[in-house]
Short mmCIF file of all heavy atoms in Angstrom, two decimals:
data_model
loop_
_atom_site.label_atom_id
_atom_site.label_comp_id
_atom_site.label_asym_id
_atom_site.label_seq_id
_atom_site.Cartn_x
_atom_site.Cartn_y
_atom_site.Cartn_z
N LEU A 1 26.55 5.44 3.58
CA LEU A 1 26.47 4.73 2.31
C LEU A 1 26.39 3.23 2.58
O LEU A 1 26.98 2.73 3.53
CB LEU A 1 27.70 5.02 1.45
CG LEU A 1 28.01 6.49 1.17
CD1 LEU A 1 29.21 6.59 0.23
CD2 LEU A 1 26.81 7.20 0.60
N SER A 2 25.66 2.56 1.71
CA SER A 2 25.57 1.10 1.77
C SER A 2 26.03 0.51 0.45
O SER A 2 25.87 1.14 -0.60
CB SER A 2 24.13 0.67 2.03
OG SER A 2 23.65 1.16 3.26
N CYS A 3 26.56 -0.68 0.53
CA CYS A 3 26.98 -1.42 -0.66
C CYS A 3 26.46 -2.84 -0.50
O CYS A 3 26.95 -3.59 0.34
CB CYS A 3 28.49 -1.41 -0.77
SG CYS A 3 29.15 -2.48 -2.08
N ALA A 4 25.45 -3.18 -1.29
CA ALA A 4 24.83 -4.50 -1.21
C ALA A 4 25.36 -5.39 -2.32
O ALA A 4 25.49 -4.95 -3.47
CB ALA A 4 23.32 -4.37 -1.32
N ALA A 5 25.64 -6.62 -1.98
CA ALA A 5 26.22 -7.56 -2.93
C ALA A 5 25.23 -8.66 -3.29
O ALA A 5 24.41 -9.07 -2.46
CB ALA A 5 27.48 -8.18 -2.37
N SER A 6 25.36 -9.13 -4.51
CA SER A 6 24.62 -10.31 -4.94
C SER A 6 25.53 -11.14 -5.82
O SER A 6 26.56 -10.66 -6.30
CB SER A 6 23.35 -9.91 -5.71
OG SER A 6 23.69 -9.16 -6.85
N GLY A 7 25.18 -12.40 -5.99
CA GLY A 7 25.97 -13.28 -6.84
C GLY A 7 27.15 -13.90 -6.15
O GLY A 7 27.93 -14.61 -6.78
N GLY A 8 27.32 -13.64 -4.86
CA GLY A 8 28.45 -14.21 -4.13
C GLY A 8 28.46 -13.68 -2.72
O GLY A 8 27.86 -12.65 -2.42
N ALA A 9 29.15 -14.38 -1.85
CA ALA A 9 29.22 -13.98 -0.45
C ALA A 9 30.37 -13.00 -0.25
O ALA A 9 31.51 -13.29 -0.61
CB ALA A 9 29.41 -15.22 0.42
N LEU A 10 30.07 -11.87 0.38
CA LEU A 10 31.10 -10.88 0.63
C LEU A 10 32.12 -11.33 1.68
O LEU A 10 33.19 -10.75 1.78
CB LEU A 10 30.47 -9.56 1.08
CG LEU A 10 29.85 -8.68 0.01
CD1 LEU A 10 29.44 -7.35 0.63
CD2 LEU A 10 30.80 -8.48 -1.15
N SER A 11 31.77 -12.34 2.43
CA SER A 11 32.64 -12.78 3.52
C SER A 11 34.00 -13.24 3.03
O SER A 11 34.94 -13.35 3.82
CB SER A 11 31.95 -13.89 4.32
OG SER A 11 31.59 -14.96 3.47
N SER A 12 34.14 -13.51 1.73
CA SER A 12 35.43 -13.94 1.19
C SER A 12 36.29 -12.78 0.72
O SER A 12 37.43 -13.00 0.28
CB SER A 12 35.21 -14.87 -0.02
OG SER A 12 34.48 -16.01 0.36
N TYR A 13 35.76 -11.56 0.80
CA TYR A 13 36.42 -10.42 0.20
C TYR A 13 36.75 -9.33 1.21
O TYR A 13 35.95 -9.05 2.11
CB TYR A 13 35.52 -9.80 -0.87
CG TYR A 13 35.23 -10.70 -2.03
CD1 TYR A 13 34.17 -11.60 -1.98
CD2 TYR A 13 36.00 -10.65 -3.18
CE1 TYR A 13 33.90 -12.44 -3.05
CE2 TYR A 13 35.72 -11.48 -4.26
CZ TYR A 13 34.67 -12.37 -4.18
OH TYR A 13 34.42 -13.20 -5.24
N ALA A 14 37.89 -8.71 1.02
CA ALA A 14 38.12 -7.40 1.64
C ALA A 14 37.31 -6.40 0.82
O ALA A 14 37.22 -6.52 -0.41
CB ALA A 14 39.59 -7.05 1.62
N MET A 15 36.74 -5.42 1.50
CA MET A 15 35.85 -4.46 0.84
C MET A 15 36.37 -3.05 1.02
O MET A 15 36.70 -2.64 2.14
CB MET A 15 34.45 -4.56 1.42
CG MET A 15 33.78 -5.91 1.20
SD MET A 15 33.57 -6.29 -0.55
CE MET A 15 32.50 -4.93 -1.07
N GLY A 16 36.42 -2.32 -0.07
CA GLY A 16 36.92 -0.96 -0.02
C GLY A 16 35.92 0.05 -0.54
O GLY A 16 34.97 -0.30 -1.24
N TRP A 17 36.14 1.29 -0.13
CA TRP A 17 35.40 2.43 -0.68
C TRP A 17 36.42 3.37 -1.34
O TRP A 17 37.48 3.64 -0.76
CB TRP A 17 34.64 3.18 0.41
CG TRP A 17 33.40 2.50 0.89
CD1 TRP A 17 33.29 1.68 1.98
CD2 TRP A 17 32.10 2.57 0.30
NE1 TRP A 17 32.00 1.24 2.11
CE2 TRP A 17 31.25 1.77 1.10
CE3 TRP A 17 31.56 3.22 -0.80
CZ2 TRP A 17 29.88 1.60 0.81
CZ3 TRP A 17 30.21 3.06 -1.09
CH2 TRP A 17 29.39 2.26 -0.29
N PHE A 18 36.05 3.83 -2.50
CA PHE A 18 36.87 4.78 -3.25
C PHE A 18 35.97 5.92 -3.69
O PHE A 18 34.73 5.82 -3.64
CB PHE A 18 37.48 4.10 -4.50
CG PHE A 18 38.48 3.04 -4.17
CD1 PHE A 18 38.09 1.77 -3.77
CD2 PHE A 18 39.84 3.29 -4.27
CE1 PHE A 18 39.01 0.79 -3.46
CE2 PHE A 18 40.78 2.32 -3.97
CZ PHE A 18 40.36 1.07 -3.57
N ARG A 19 36.58 7.01 -4.16
CA ARG A 19 35.79 8.11 -4.67
C ARG A 19 36.50 8.76 -5.85
O ARG A 19 37.71 8.64 -6.01
CB ARG A 19 35.51 9.13 -3.57
CG ARG A 19 36.72 9.83 -2.98
CD ARG A 19 36.31 10.64 -1.76
NE ARG A 19 37.43 11.37 -1.18
CZ ARG A 19 37.39 12.04 -0.05
NH1 ARG A 19 36.25 12.07 0.67
NH2 ARG A 19 38.46 12.67 0.40
N GLN A 20 35.68 9.47 -6.64
CA GLN A 20 36.23 10.11 -7.84
C GLN A 20 35.40 11.35 -8.14
O GLN A 20 34.18 11.35 -7.99
CB GLN A 20 36.15 9.12 -9.02
CG GLN A 20 36.69 9.63 -10.34
CD GLN A 20 38.19 9.81 -10.33
OE1 GLN A 20 38.71 10.69 -9.65
NE2 GLN A 20 38.90 8.99 -11.09
N THR A 21 36.08 12.40 -8.57
CA THR A 21 35.39 13.60 -9.05
C THR A 21 35.53 13.68 -10.56
O THR A 21 36.48 13.12 -11.13
CB THR A 21 36.00 14.86 -8.42
OG1 THR A 21 37.35 14.98 -8.85
CG2 THR A 21 35.95 14.80 -6.90
N PRO A 22 34.61 14.38 -11.22
CA PRO A 22 34.70 14.50 -12.68
C PRO A 22 36.01 15.14 -13.13
O PRO A 22 36.58 14.74 -14.15
CB PRO A 22 33.50 15.38 -13.03
CG PRO A 22 32.55 15.20 -11.91
CD PRO A 22 33.40 14.99 -10.68
N GLU A 23 36.51 16.11 -12.33
CA GLU A 23 37.74 16.79 -12.72
C GLU A 23 38.91 15.81 -12.74
O GLU A 23 39.70 15.78 -13.69
CB GLU A 23 38.05 17.93 -11.73
CG GLU A 23 37.05 19.07 -11.74
CD GLU A 23 35.76 18.76 -11.02
OE1 GLU A 23 35.70 17.75 -10.28
OE2 GLU A 23 34.78 19.52 -11.19
N LYS A 24 38.99 14.98 -11.70
CA LYS A 24 40.11 14.04 -11.62
C LYS A 24 39.96 12.93 -12.66
O LYS A 24 40.96 12.42 -13.18
CB LYS A 24 40.22 13.48 -10.22
CG LYS A 24 40.67 14.54 -9.22
CD LYS A 24 40.97 13.98 -7.86
CE LYS A 24 41.47 15.08 -6.95
NZ LYS A 24 41.70 14.62 -5.56
N GLU A 25 38.71 12.61 -12.97
CA GLU A 25 38.51 11.61 -14.01
C GLU A 25 38.98 12.15 -15.36
O GLU A 25 39.63 11.45 -16.14
CB GLU A 25 37.04 11.19 -14.08
CG GLU A 25 36.79 10.02 -15.00
CD GLU A 25 35.46 9.34 -14.71
OE1 GLU A 25 34.61 9.94 -14.03
OE2 GLU A 25 35.28 8.21 -15.19
N ARG A 26 38.67 13.43 -15.62
CA ARG A 26 39.12 14.04 -16.88
C ARG A 26 40.64 14.12 -16.93
O ARG A 26 41.24 14.04 -18.00
CB ARG A 26 38.52 15.44 -17.03
CG ARG A 26 37.07 15.45 -17.48
CD ARG A 26 36.66 16.85 -17.92
NE ARG A 26 36.64 17.79 -16.80
CZ ARG A 26 35.58 18.00 -16.03
NH1 ARG A 26 34.45 17.33 -16.24
NH2 ARG A 26 35.63 18.88 -15.05
N GLU A 27 41.27 14.27 -15.79
CA GLU A 27 42.74 14.33 -15.73
C GLU A 27 43.36 12.95 -15.83
O GLU A 27 44.59 12.84 -15.85
CB GLU A 27 43.17 14.99 -14.41
CG GLU A 27 42.79 16.47 -14.32
CD GLU A 27 43.01 17.04 -12.93
OE1 GLU A 27 43.51 16.31 -12.05
OE2 GLU A 27 42.67 18.22 -12.73
N GLY A 28 42.52 11.92 -15.86
CA GLY A 28 43.03 10.57 -15.98
C GLY A 28 43.58 9.99 -14.70
O GLY A 28 44.32 9.01 -14.72
N LYS A 29 43.19 10.59 -13.55
CA LYS A 29 43.69 10.09 -12.28
C LYS A 29 42.85 8.92 -11.80
O LYS A 29 41.66 8.83 -12.08
CB LYS A 29 43.68 11.22 -11.25
CG LYS A 29 44.64 12.34 -11.62
CD LYS A 29 44.81 13.34 -10.49
CE LYS A 29 45.85 14.38 -10.87
NZ LYS A 29 46.01 15.41 -9.82
N GLU A 30 43.48 8.03 -11.08
CA GLU A 30 42.76 6.87 -10.59
C GLU A 30 41.86 7.27 -9.44
O GLU A 30 42.02 8.33 -8.83
CB GLU A 30 43.73 5.77 -10.14
CG GLU A 30 44.55 6.08 -8.91
CD GLU A 30 45.47 4.93 -8.52
OE1 GLU A 30 45.79 4.08 -9.38
OE2 GLU A 30 45.86 4.88 -7.34
N ARG A 31 40.92 6.42 -9.16
CA ARG A 31 40.00 6.66 -8.06
C ARG A 31 40.76 6.76 -6.74
O ARG A 31 41.72 6.03 -6.51
CB ARG A 31 38.95 5.55 -8.00
CG ARG A 31 38.01 5.61 -9.21
CD ARG A 31 37.06 4.43 -9.27
NE ARG A 31 36.18 4.54 -10.44
CZ ARG A 31 35.32 3.63 -10.83
NH1 ARG A 31 35.18 2.50 -10.14
NH2 ARG A 31 34.56 3.82 -11.90
N GLU A 32 40.29 7.65 -5.89
CA GLU A 32 40.96 7.92 -4.63
C GLU A 32 40.50 6.93 -3.56
O GLU A 32 39.29 6.75 -3.34
CB GLU A 32 40.64 9.34 -4.16
CG GLU A 32 41.24 9.71 -2.81
CD GLU A 32 40.72 11.04 -2.28
OE1 GLU A 32 39.81 11.62 -2.89
OE2 GLU A 32 41.24 11.51 -1.24
N PHE A 33 41.44 6.32 -2.91
CA PHE A 33 41.14 5.40 -1.82
C PHE A 33 40.53 6.16 -0.65
O PHE A 33 41.01 7.25 -0.28
CB PHE A 33 42.42 4.70 -1.38
CG PHE A 33 42.29 3.97 -0.07
CD1 PHE A 33 41.61 2.77 -0.01
CD2 PHE A 33 42.84 4.49 1.09
CE1 PHE A 33 41.48 2.09 1.19
CE2 PHE A 33 42.72 3.82 2.29
CZ PHE A 33 42.03 2.62 2.34
N VAL A 34 39.50 5.56 -0.04
CA VAL A 34 38.84 6.16 1.13
C VAL A 34 39.02 5.27 2.36
O VAL A 34 39.50 5.71 3.40
CB VAL A 34 37.34 6.39 0.87
CG1 VAL A 34 36.64 6.89 2.13
CG2 VAL A 34 37.13 7.37 -0.28
N ALA A 35 38.61 4.01 2.24
CA ALA A 35 38.66 3.10 3.39
C ALA A 35 38.57 1.67 2.90
O ALA A 35 38.05 1.41 1.82
CB ALA A 35 37.52 3.39 4.36
N VAL A 36 39.05 0.75 3.73
CA VAL A 36 38.95 -0.67 3.42
C VAL A 36 38.77 -1.45 4.71
O VAL A 36 39.26 -1.04 5.76
CB VAL A 36 40.18 -1.17 2.62
CG1 VAL A 36 41.46 -0.99 3.41
CG2 VAL A 36 40.01 -2.62 2.16
N ILE A 37 38.06 -2.56 4.61
CA ILE A 37 37.87 -3.45 5.75
C ILE A 37 38.23 -4.86 5.33
O ILE A 37 37.92 -5.29 4.21
CB ILE A 37 36.42 -3.36 6.28
CG1 ILE A 37 36.25 -4.15 7.58
CG2 ILE A 37 35.39 -3.79 5.24
CD1 ILE A 37 34.95 -3.83 8.32
N SER A 38 38.91 -5.57 6.21
CA SER A 38 39.35 -6.93 5.89
C SER A 38 38.16 -7.86 5.77
O SER A 38 37.04 -7.56 6.22
CB SER A 38 40.29 -7.44 6.98
OG SER A 38 39.61 -7.50 8.23
N TRP A 39 38.41 -9.05 5.19
CA TRP A 39 37.33 -10.01 5.00
C TRP A 39 36.73 -10.43 6.34
O TRP A 39 35.54 -10.71 6.44
CB TRP A 39 37.83 -11.24 4.23
CG TRP A 39 38.85 -12.05 4.99
CD1 TRP A 39 40.19 -11.90 4.95
CD2 TRP A 39 38.59 -13.10 5.91
NE1 TRP A 39 40.80 -12.79 5.80
CE2 TRP A 39 39.84 -13.55 6.39
CE3 TRP A 39 37.43 -13.73 6.38
CZ2 TRP A 39 39.95 -14.59 7.31
CZ3 TRP A 39 37.54 -14.76 7.29
CH2 TRP A 39 38.79 -15.18 7.75
N SER A 40 37.55 -10.45 7.39
CA SER A 40 37.06 -10.86 8.71
C SER A 40 36.37 -9.73 9.45
O SER A 40 35.68 -9.97 10.45
CB SER A 40 38.22 -11.37 9.56
OG SER A 40 39.12 -10.31 9.80
N GLY A 41 36.58 -8.51 8.98
CA GLY A 41 36.01 -7.36 9.68
C GLY A 41 36.83 -6.87 10.85
O GLY A 41 36.46 -5.90 11.51
N THR A 42 37.95 -7.50 11.10
CA THR A 42 38.74 -7.16 12.30
C THR A 42 39.75 -6.06 12.04
O THR A 42 40.29 -5.48 12.99
CB THR A 42 39.47 -8.39 12.83
OG1 THR A 42 40.29 -8.94 11.79
CG2 THR A 42 38.48 -9.44 13.30
N SER A 43 40.02 -5.76 10.78
CA SER A 43 41.01 -4.73 10.46
C SER A 43 40.42 -3.74 9.48
O SER A 43 39.66 -4.10 8.57
CB SER A 43 42.26 -5.36 9.83
OG SER A 43 42.87 -6.26 10.72
N THR A 44 40.79 -2.48 9.68
CA THR A 44 40.37 -1.41 8.78
C THR A 44 41.54 -0.49 8.52
O THR A 44 42.52 -0.46 9.28
CB THR A 44 39.21 -0.59 9.38
OG1 THR A 44 39.62 -0.05 10.65
CG2 THR A 44 37.96 -1.42 9.56
N TYR A 45 41.41 0.28 7.44
CA TYR A 45 42.47 1.21 7.07
C TYR A 45 41.80 2.37 6.36
O TYR A 45 40.90 2.16 5.53
CB TYR A 45 43.47 0.50 6.17
CG TYR A 45 44.58 1.36 5.61
CD1 TYR A 45 45.39 2.13 6.45
CD2 TYR A 45 44.84 1.38 4.25
CE1 TYR A 45 46.41 2.90 5.93
CE2 TYR A 45 45.86 2.14 3.72
CZ TYR A 45 46.65 2.90 4.56
OH TYR A 45 47.66 3.67 4.05
N TYR A 46 42.23 3.60 6.70
CA TYR A 46 41.58 4.79 6.17
C TYR A 46 42.59 5.73 5.52
O TYR A 46 43.74 5.82 5.95
CB TYR A 46 40.87 5.55 7.29
CG TYR A 46 39.74 4.79 7.94
CD1 TYR A 46 39.97 3.99 9.05
CD2 TYR A 46 38.46 4.87 7.43
CE1 TYR A 46 38.93 3.28 9.65
CE2 TYR A 46 37.41 4.16 8.01
CZ TYR A 46 37.66 3.38 9.12
OH TYR A 46 36.64 2.67 9.70
N ALA A 47 42.11 6.47 4.54
CA ALA A 47 42.89 7.57 4.01
C ALA A 47 43.01 8.63 5.09
O ALA A 47 42.08 8.83 5.89
CB ALA A 47 42.22 8.15 2.77
#
């Protein structure tokens, strides 16, 4: 998967990926965390 940004530089942001299924959305559950990378790219964290 790719995530392209416009309107600002991503270098200032930590970037995460989340996911959601229709069932969980209907149940009112929040999006599930998948992964995140720090603004510097040196740190990551995964579900």
